[in-house]
Amino acid sequence: MAIIEPFALAIGFLLSYIHDYVSSYGISIVILTVIINIIIFPLTLRQTRSTKRMQDAQPELKRLQKQYRDNKEELNKKVAEYYKENGINPLGCVVPLLVQMPVWFALFRVLREPLLFIPKEATLFSKLQDPLSVLFYGMDLQVPASQINTWVERVPYIFLILLVVGTALIQQNQLTKKQPKSNNPQQQQMQMIGKVMPLFFGFISWTLPSGLVVYFLTGNIFRIGQQALIVKLDENQANEEKKENEKKKIDEEKAEGPIAEDSRKKRKKRRRK
């Protein structure tokens, strides 16, 4: 794809640049994955929060759909009003994802076919032509586990794949543990897909170059920490809003206090008369 090419060339250059400092292909992939995740973190944060708002809005949307099921024009109007009042953008969880996709596809291509995108004059380019010079914990990151001849040699590759599956399960548990159980078939289907995805990643990791598996593992670990950070940020924001609301309430009560006191005094005077 033409749109992916410039991103892939830029990522290939960055990967070779990192390798010049760390002299390890595997560590270079780890650092590159972390850098890219940090760069797109604002988009990921926006996407996560938009997704959560849409999930929180589902009960009210279902109520509106039930109430105006015979009047689609009024339903669309009420839904638009609800979105506006609650600051919800239906495309808020889609647009950041679309912006990220070229980067992830480019990174995937670079790690799958590194010699096509790494500058030929780079040290990493010449090293990749000699697999023994870029081993990472005894693994050739340019080949998949399925191409390794003996099961003994496959052990580190299998261990790497198991780590990918395990971290993906942890990440999925982070996303679903606070979601209530739903009788909605569509919601149940999505939850089932979420449970199957870690196993799917393990399956495809068996046939993909191991450099991509290192990328999967690093991305999973980063997103576990990222999700914990997002939850913490949201909790702090919720606590701040709660404190502000309580403060406003106290200030309103104080403001109403003298008025209420004057009203009581007037009633007492009228009774005496």
Side-chain angles (χ1 to χ4, degrees), residues 105-120:
F105 280 127
L107 180 58
F108 184 89
R109 285 202 64 189
V110 170
L111 296 180
R112 190 170 187 174
E113 302 170 301
L115 292 175
L116 293 179
F117 301 102
I118 290 172
K120 292 182 180 180

Side-chain angles (χ1 to χ4, degrees), residues 49 51-61 82 88:
R49 285 179 169 172
T51 303
K52 187 177 183 301
R53 287 195 195 102
M54 287 299 295
Q55 289 175 345
D56 294 341
Q58 289 308 306
E60 179 61 21
L61 292 177
Y82 178 78
I88 297 174

Side-chain angles (χ1 to χ4, degrees), residues 71-232:
N71 190 340
K72 288 188 177 181
E73 186 177 343
E74 187 66 19
L75 172 63
N76 293 334
K77 182 180 176 182
K78 292 294 183 182
V79 169
E81 288 176 359
Y82 178 78
Y83 283 159
K84 187 176 180 180
E85 289 172 3
N86 292 274
I88 297 174
N89 181 0
L91 298 178
C93 53
V94 178
V95 174
L97 183 62
L98 292 177
V99 174
Q100 296 173 52
M101 283 178 68
V103 177
W104 291 125
F105 280 127
L107 180 58
F108 184 89
R109 285 202 64 189
V110 170
L111 296 180
R112 190 170 187 174
E113 302 170 301
L115 292 175
L116 293 179
F117 301 102
I118 290 172
K120 292 182 180 180
E121 64 274 11
T123 305
L124 180 57
F125 184 89
S126 57
K127 278 190 173 184
L128 287 172
Q129 297 181 66
D130 177 18
L132 293 178
S133 66
V134 288
L135 292 180
F136 183 63
Y137 290 101
M139 294 180 288
D140 181 358
L141 299 184
Q142 298 184 81
V143 300
S146 59
Q147 290 184 12
I148 305 301
N149 295 325
T150 66
W151 282 101
V152 173
E153 293 176 340
R154 284 176 177 172
V155 169
Y157 296 87
I158 294 172
F159 181 68
L160 185 64
I161 292 172
L162 290 175
L163 285 176
V164 168
V165 175
T167 50
L169 287 170
I170 293 172
Q171 185 186 347
Q172 185 61 32
N173 183 58
Q174 274 186 317
L175 296 172
T176 58
K177 66 181 180 180
K178 290 189 176 182
Q179 292 180 1
K181 290 185 178 181
S182 173
N183 294 323
N184 188 333
Q186 187 177 1
Q187 186 71 20
Q188 290 177 345
Q189 187 178 11
M190 291 299 295
Q191 290 176 353
M192 180 58 66
I193 291 173
K195 292 177 181 178
V196 172
M197 282 303 291
L199 300 177
F200 173 73
F201 270 105
F203 174 75
I204 64 172
S205 295
W206 179 255
T207 58
L208 290 174
S210 297
L212 276 169
V213 184
V214 172
Y215 151 64
F216 288 154
L217 176 60
T218 307
N220 286 349
I221 293 172
F222 185 93
R223 282 187 289 274
I224 289 170
Q226 176 181 266
Q227 184 63 26
L229 176 61
I230 290 173
V231 169
K232 188 67 176 176

Side-chain angles (χ1 to χ4, degrees), residues 248-262:
K248 285 180 181 178
K249 188 176 179 181
I250 292 171
D251 291 341
E252 287 174 359
E253 289 176 352
K254 286 181 178 178
E256 292 174 358
I259 298 173
E261 186 65 28
D262 289 342

